[in-house]
Amino acid sequence: MAASTPQPLSDEIVALSTYIAEAATRPLPPEVARKTRLHLLDTLGAIVSGTQLPAGLLGARFAASTGGVEEALAVGARALLPTAQAAFANAMAAHGDETDDSHLAGRCHPGCAIVPAALAVAEREDAGGDALLRAIALGYDVCVRVNLSLGFSPPAKAKHSTHSIGPAFGAAAAAAALLRFDARQVRHMLSYSAQQASGIPFWNRDHHHVEKAFDFAAMPARNGTLGALMVASGFTGVEDPLSGAHNLFAAFAERPDRAALVDGLGSRFEIMRASVKKWCVGSPIQAVLDAIMAITGGVPQNPDAIEAITLIMPDDRVHIVDDRAMPDVCVQHLAAVALLDGGAGFAAAHDVARMQDPAVRALRARMTLVPSPELTVAVPARQAIVAIRFAGGEERRHHAVAVRGTPENPMTEDEVEAKVLDLVAPLLGDGAHALLDAVRDIEARRVRDLRPLLYMNDLPESHP
């Protein structure tokens, strides 16, 4: 069979592959490096806390059962595993619930896939912390731009899942930077990423947050890592998966925008537009809890003094959190808990038994959830309005416009560290502060220095 004539490379594949290939040696602006450290820390908090949730437990058990060469730490398995298996296990834990970060414009949770992939490859390569941060920031850049370039319909109508596709490319790009690929190797890596692109948006029907953890995190982390490692071992591939017959855009795009794939590379860092969650709950609930805290000042309320509660939310998000069986994605339950407790910490947001608490149920019975088309199109997105009528007729109302933790209202470094400390201290004990110290100083360390801080050998075995 005669060899086909090589086709000219598209401008997009040249620009993207060159940018990825040069990322390993390109310093990050200080503010980008700082934000990337916070997302690294936030994701480590999600991984550690997620090891004790069903998705994290199952992911660790499965990854450990495959065995293999000891290359990277799977935190929940308390073992060194092959790179792709470690990335898989840590990603299952990272999105074991709703603790991890998100990117509204990119319509995905980048950190839960990109950070585990980058950590595993960095350990394998004995990379420094500065290289890890560059790889993570690069992963966010690629992840979000892939999703934007495919032009998917709004979530209710999209046929493919942005939560799975963009993060797979982001994880692969992070791995490629740590493996020091040249531009041609990057193109082959992108080809394998395109071949493995997958994701159908029925994840919201997963009542146990196990398949969802695979869809959002473990599948893209594993696929991105595996594709990069294949190229590192000598696999070759198609030079340009973005053009020619049956390319990525032809297969997936609804309203293709090729320019979006490379727009702003090197000047617009997508990690700066990513959000760290203040509350370890579903993203659409964040504004509701912010509004309740604004009304109550974080003071626990007497339920007998509350006559009615109205929750007004964007109508395109209500179905995700309306009367759900899981506490951390049920807006009515979390609103009740926040009113009773003066907040909603990680433990409270995951207390399934409390969903039957009479005091919680009584408050839920006084709630009305109102879908609002006006809030759906409001900017910034994911706003919410909460109105509480107290005994005697007094009504307090708050419109949460910019959710805490979003680019419009970012959390401080102290707030992020406090959140992570709440997540990891019950499992790491005194070592929790050492982990925070190490991440603050990550650019002066080797990534493998994190291993002893994440090994949880003294924990009892747990089962989902």
Side-chain angles (χ1 to χ4, degrees), residues 19-269:
Y19 185 79
I20 294 172
E22 294 175 350
T25 58
R26 185 172 50 244
L28 294 173
E31 68 278 10
V32 178
R34 175 187 170 278
K35 185 78 165 16
T36 306
R37 282 195 299 274
L38 292 181
H39 284 269
L40 168 61
L41 178 63
D42 187 62
T43 307
L44 286 172
I47 290 170
V48 171
S49 61
T51 61
Q52 302 305 294
L53 298 174
L57 289 162
L58 289 165
R61 182 188 304 166
F62 174 75
S65 72
T66 61
V69 63
E70 298 180 348
E71 294 179 318
L73 176 64
V75 177
R78 304 166 208 155
L80 296 176
L81 298 177
T83 305
Q85 282 97 308
F88 174 92
N90 291 336
M92 285 292 292
H95 195 64
D97 67 342
E98 297 294 330
T99 301
D100 52 302
D101 67 14
S102 64
H103 194 295
L104 185 60
R107 285 168 51 182
C108 63
H109 292 234
C112 60
I114 294 166
V115 173
L119 278 170
V121 177
E123 284 191 65
R124 178 185 187 269
E125 298 300 299
D126 192 20
D130 55 345
L132 175 66
L133 294 185
R134 293 173 189 179
I136 291 171
L138 170 70
Y140 281 63
D141 280 338
V142 174
C143 163
V144 172
R145 284 173 170 82
V146 166
N147 279 347
L148 293 177
S149 71
L150 294 174
F152 288 138
S153 300
K157 297 180 179 179
K159 295 180 180 179
H160 301 290
S161 177
T162 51
H163 293 284
S164 302
I165 295 174
F169 283 87
L178 289 159
L179 292 165
R180 300 297 184 109
F181 282 177
D182 61 28
R184 186 167 187 266
Q185 288 174 303
V186 169
R187 292 194 291 273
H188 294 164
M189 175 275 295
L190 290 170
S191 183
Y192 284 108
S193 298
Q195 289 290 357
Q196 295 183 97
S198 181
I200 306 170
F202 55 62
W203 46 264
N204 61 333
R205 304 206 310 260
D206 173 17
H207 299 300
H208 303 286
H209 215 292
V210 172
E211 183 183 336
K212 185 171 183 281
F214 175 77
D215 296 346
F216 279 43
M219 178 176 69
R222 178 204 62 192
N223 288 359
T225 302
L226 184 63
L229 292 176
M230 288 161 59
V231 172
S233 70
F235 279 54
T236 57
V238 170
E239 287 283 334
D240 189 351
L242 307 181
S243 64
H246 311 298
N247 63 74
L248 175 70
F249 292 100
F252 286 100
E254 296 180 25
R255 296 179 307 280
D257 182 1
R258 292 172 177 272
L261 193 59
V262 295
D263 181 49
L265 278 177
S267 60
R268 188 185 78 236
F269 293 88

Side-chain angles (χ1 to χ4, degrees), residues 309-443:
I309 306 153
T310 302
L311 311 176
I312 306 173
M313 298 180 63
D315 64 358
D316 67 337
R317 300 283 168 176
V318 165
H319 68 284
I320 300 174
V321 296
D322 181 17
D323 200 27
R324 295 290 300 277
M326 292 183 292
D328 57 329
V329 290
C330 179
V331 66
Q332 294 93 338
H333 172 72
L334 289 165
V337 167
L339 287 166
L340 292 168
D341 295 359
F346 179 83
H350 294 82
D351 188 346
V352 177
R354 197 174 177 193
M355 296 189 81
Q356 304 308 318
D357 182 335
V360 171
R361 301 298 301 181
L363 273 182
R364 288 182 62 169
R366 298 172 209 160
M367 286 185 195
T368 302
L369 180 59
V370 179
S372 167
E374 290 79 16
L375 289 184
T376 295
V377 298
V379 178
R382 289 181 176 166
Q383 300 181 26
I385 300 169
V386 174
I388 302 176
R389 187 172 74 246
F390 292 88
E394 178 191 7
E395 180 170 302
R396 301 180 200 167
R397 179 186 178 94
H398 184 80
H399 183 176
V401 176
V403 173
R404 190 65 173 167
T406 61
E408 295 81 12
N409 187 14
M411 293 168 67
T412 66
E413 188 167 345
D414 287 344
E415 285 180 297
V416 176
E417 290 189 350
K419 171 193 171 181
V420 173
L421 197 61
D422 177 61
L423 293 171
V424 305
L427 298 171
L428 301 183
D430 293 339
H433 288 282
L435 178 63
L436 267 61
D437 290 341
V439 175
R440 285 191 208 107
D441 193 35
I442 191 65
E443 287 158 299

